[in-house]
Amino acid sequence: MKIVVIGGVAAGASAATKARRVNENAEIIILEKGPYVSFANCGLPYYVGGDIKKKDNLLLVTPELFKKRFRIEVRLHHEVVAIDAKEKTITVQSPENSYKEQYDKLIIATGAEPVKPSLPGIDLPQVFTVSTVPDAESIVEHLAAGAQSAVVVGGGFIGLETAEALLQKGVNTTLIQRSQQLAKNFDVEFSRPLERHLQELGCKLVFGQSLSKIIGEEKVEAVELTDGRQLPTDLVIMAVGVRPRVQLAQIAGLQIGQSGGILVNAAMQTSDPFIYAAGDVVESLHLVSGRKVRIPLAGSANKQGRVAGANAAGGKLLFKGVLGTAIIKVGKLTIARTGLSEKEAQEAGKDYFVSYSPLNSHASYYPGAQGMIIKLVAENFTGRLLGAQIIGSLGVDKRIDVLATAIYAGLSVFDLENLDLAYAPPYGAAKDPVIMSGMIAANIVRGEIKQVTPQQLEELKKQAGIVVLDVRAREEFAKEAIEGAVNIPVDELRSRYEEIDPEKTILIYCRSGYRSYLASRFLQQKGYKVFNVSGGFLAYKMDVQVKK
């Protein structure tokens, strides 16, 4: 059996090595059009920023190691330009010549390519993407040559990570985002803290604009925005998204899915039974929404490659689908997500509610505790967990992984409040943030508390018959508060509750939601119509506070 893999990196390399483990007798060839067959593309921004000191640290497996350890032939600088599915051949362009290669099983792992819009000046040598090792090397070389300013176009993961890397190198950095939100795969309120933090780091932000052209003759001198403004700059980073490299699949007559990626089944088999595909080039089943999606992430690419390689070699593996679990660090902030965002839950027609839980990374009495805010998206009535998002600076990673596991297992918020998680003061709390977020959400499902979100509060407080009650301490209220709120500290509420008009609807908040929960339970049992503000003042500030 002869197995040919088109493309290396995560999916292709995983496919080839798994195929070898399944079938020792197969002939396996990887054809890679670039100079490296296996590299850590997720590490490229960190190489630009200097966290990763040596380029060689990005190179995972060399052609020599593929040959010595796995008896896999790697051909670098060999680009596949056509697939003849009927004849089971591919056409390859090498540095020396063009030739045809026969296959018994073919695996397409061509990945995705960065989008470079057709603009005047887009081909100037100081315009970069951050997709390959040579890309990162070129940026580092230009910085070493004295580049002092940069414009990053796009506020997704690559744009944010590269902007942070440039700021870390002391580069005067401007980030341009076409929409009004950074990190668009998160709900909008998670963009606001990112914006403020980037500005604290020295990054200039421009929203609602795109590039109309890049100005310069021999080198980049400036960029022009769609509103006509010109920003001087030494280099430009294009990070406006990626698109799957499906051209070969189209030539082969393979079916392309609704999302734009190659259509595959759970065995990673395409519409041709002799051709498999994996990685950023394919579409996947979302395990919560049930929709076909393209989520280009290294974790799923590796797993898909493993499944494709096993089945191409005669094994039996299945890839169930994705949750879109992702995490990113920007300066001191970390944001992470899994499952459905609130916006995605709406689009999928889910009957859901959300809850916010501001909590500490570990026991507050142990030094170094940092705050985080967990947003859960859960199904009404059943409490089934649909999605989660977290922002903080410490401990976000392990909480999002627990929540991703819970969603994969089909757990509910009632299960979260009963999890048995490790606890010691340096690492967590007796009621871990995941457990506490489950308790808060479970109270809502059980009807113990009625809530409003910060967004709903902002709308409701404009209506007649509404009282916004702040139950924090007087000094907290004096420092900053929601406009129009009245202050009765929770510890005085039992003696002062009759000051509140029982005919009005009371929206209660504190710093994080705990004291307001206590106040809500008390007033509710006194006959008041009360709603607890989910996440308290911390969530309100994150969600509602206007950009400066």
Side-chain angles (χ1 to χ4, degrees):
M1 176 186 287
K2 184 176 183 179
I3 300 172
V4 176
V5 182
I6 306 174
V9 197
S14 295
T17 52
K18 182 61 178 179
R20 171 58 71 222
R21 295 194 295 274
V22 170
N23 191 331
E24 179 58 36
N25 297 318
E27 178 185 0
I28 303 173
I29 300 171
I30 300 176
L31 300 170
E32 169 57 50
K33 73 175 185 177
Y36 304 105
V37 64
S38 179
F39 64 90
N41 49 5
C42 295
L44 296 176
Y46 302 102
Y47 176 62
V48 170
D51 298 293
I52 297 172
K53 304 298 183 184
K54 297 180 180 179
K55 177 193 73 177
D56 289 350
N57 292 338
L58 297 169
L59 308 179
L60 303 178
V61 185
T62 63
E64 293 74 23
L65 186 58
F66 270 111
K67 184 176 182 180
K68 184 177 181 180
R69 181 172 294 176
F70 299 105
R71 197 169 59 84
I72 293 171
E73 180 184 354
V74 175
R75 301 177 190 170
L76 299 178
H77 302 291
H78 281 57
E79 181 178 6
V80 178
V81 296
I83 299 171
D84 187 332
K86 184 176 180 181
E87 296 296 325
K88 296 173 73 173
T89 63
I90 55 175
T91 302
V92 185
Q93 183 65 56
S94 76
E96 295 80 24
N97 62 350
S98 177
Y99 65 93
K100 289 187 182 295
E101 189 80 45
Q102 195 84 26
Y103 66 83
D104 294 307
K105 299 288 178 64
L106 184 68
I107 301 173
I108 300 174
T110 47
E113 60 188 355
V115 174
K116 289 187 73 174
S118 179
L119 294 173
I122 195 71
D123 294 322
L124 286 169
Q126 296 80 22
V127 180
F128 304 100
T129 57
V130 188
S131 180
T132 66
V133 174
D135 291 340
E137 284 184 293
S138 295
I139 296 170
V140 169
E141 288 169 5
H142 277 77
L143 294 177
Q148 297 295 312
S149 59
V151 167
V152 178
V153 186
F157 279 18
I158 294 297
L160 290 169
E161 288 174 340
T162 306
E164 181 195 9
L166 293 169
L167 291 165
Q168 194 166 299
K169 298 290 281 189
V171 177
N172 186 356
T173 303
T174 301
L175 191 151
I176 299 169
Q177 174 71 342
R178 184 174 61 180
S179 71
Q180 296 295 328
Q181 176 188 345
L182 300 175
K184 287 186 65 179
N185 56 342
F186 285 76
D187 287 326
V188 65
E189 62 267 29
F190 285 81
S191 175
R192 306 300 183 232
L194 278 181
E195 295 166 26
R196 294 191 286 271
H197 190 51
L198 277 169
Q199 289 169 334
E200 290 168 358
L201 294 174
C203 187
K204 301 178 185 68
L205 299 176
V206 178
F207 290 94
Q209 295 293 314
S210 301
L211 294 193
S212 61
K213 64 180 175 181
I214 300 169
I215 300 168
E217 294 296 330
E218 299 298 323
K219 64 176 185 177
V220 170
E221 297 174 4
V223 298
E224 185 172 292
L225 306 183
T226 46
D227 65 2
R229 278 182 289 169
Q230 293 187 358
L231 306 177
T233 187
D234 296 324
L235 56 88
V236 177
I237 308 292
M238 298 301 300
V240 294
V242 296
R243 56 184 165 225
R245 293 187 176 101
V246 296
Q247 297 89 338
L248 286 175
Q250 292 170 324
I251 291 170
L254 303 181
Q255 190 172 345
I256 306 300
Q258 294 177 351
S259 68
I262 300 173
L263 181 69
V264 292
N265 59 22
M268 305 312 297
Q269 193 174 45
T270 71
S271 52
D272 183 315
F274 299 100
I275 302 178
Y276 296 78
D280 294 353
V281 73
V282 305
E283 69 175 16
S284 303
L285 176 69
H286 197 289
L287 293 172
V288 181
S289 71
R291 295 180 173 182
K292 292 296 183 73
V293 295
R294 280 194 307 107
I295 302 179
L297 293 170
S300 52
N302 274 284
K303 289 180 285 187
Q304 290 168 348
R306 178 174 177 267
V307 171
N311 293 328
K316 293 181 180 178
L317 285 181
L318 297 177
F319 180 75
K320 292 185 178 181
V322 298
L323 290 174
T325 306
I327 190 167
I328 179 174
K329 181 186 81 71
V330 180
K332 295 180 180 179
L333 277 182
T334 298
I335 60 170
R337 61 157 293 168
T338 186
L340 299 182
S341 66
E342 182 178 2
K343 180 181 177 182
E344 290 164 348
Q346 289 175 347
E347 293 171 348
K350 298 293 185 181
D351 180 19
Y352 74 92
F353 70 95
V354 304
S355 68
Y356 295 88
S357 305
L359 300 157
N360 283 327
S361 57
H362 58 252
S364 58
Y365 59 82
Y366 187 88
Q370 300 290 321
M372 68 175 68
I373 296 180
I374 300 177
K375 179 180 182 179
L376 297 185
V377 182
E379 198 170 56
N380 276 316
F381 186 70
T382 68
R384 177 188 167 222
L385 192 59
L386 302 176
Q389 295 163 81
I390 310 177
I391 187 165
S393 56
L394 185 66
V396 171
D397 51 346
K398 79 170 185 174
R399 272 63 187 223
I400 204 67
D401 284 342
V402 172
L403 291 166
T405 304
I407 295 172
Y408 184 86
L411 301 186
S412 71
V413 295
F414 306 113
D415 295 308
L416 293 187
E417 65 179 348
N418 286 301
L419 290 178
D420 189 1
L421 301 178
Y423 161 58
Y427 302 107
K431 294 178 182 175
D432 186 84
V434 169
I435 294 172
M436 282 297 299
S437 67
M439 288 179 172
I440 291 166
N443 285 342
I444 296 167
V445 181
R446 282 190 289 258
E448 292 183 18
I449 196 74
K450 293 181 179 180
Q451 69 151 12
V452 294
T453 65
Q455 305 98 310
Q456 292 168 331
L457 167 66
E458 194 67 6
E459 292 301 316
L460 288 170
K461 72 176 188 175
K462 302 172 186 175
Q463 301 177 11
I466 298 291
V467 173
V468 179
L469 177 62
D470 185 324
V471 295
R472 297 176 299 163
R474 287 187 176 88
E475 54 270 25
E476 294 176 89
F477 181 77
K479 186 175 180 180
E480 56 179 345
I482 295 174
E483 185 178 356
V486 296
N487 178 224
I488 302 179
V490 67
D491 294 334
E492 301 175 17
L493 190 59
R494 280 185 166 79
S495 62
R496 295 181 55 191
Y497 74 92
E498 290 180 338
E499 297 175 20
I500 305 169
D501 186 345
E503 299 300 318
K504 293 189 175 181
T505 298
I506 317 301
L507 310 182
I508 310 177
Y509 76 93
C510 62
R511 177 179 178 273
S512 63
Y514 174 65
R515 285 173 288 177
S516 59
Y517 166 67
L518 299 179
S520 296
R521 290 296 297 162
F522 169 72
L523 289 175
Q524 194 174 337
Q525 293 177 70
K526 289 294 184 181
Y528 285 82
K529 184 179 180 181
V530 298
F531 292 86
N532 191 29
V533 178
S534 184
F537 192 62
L538 291 176
Y540 178 84
K541 283 179 62 178
M542 179 180 81
D543 191 15
V544 176
Q545 193 173 64
V546 179
K547 298 196 298 290
K548 295 180 181 178

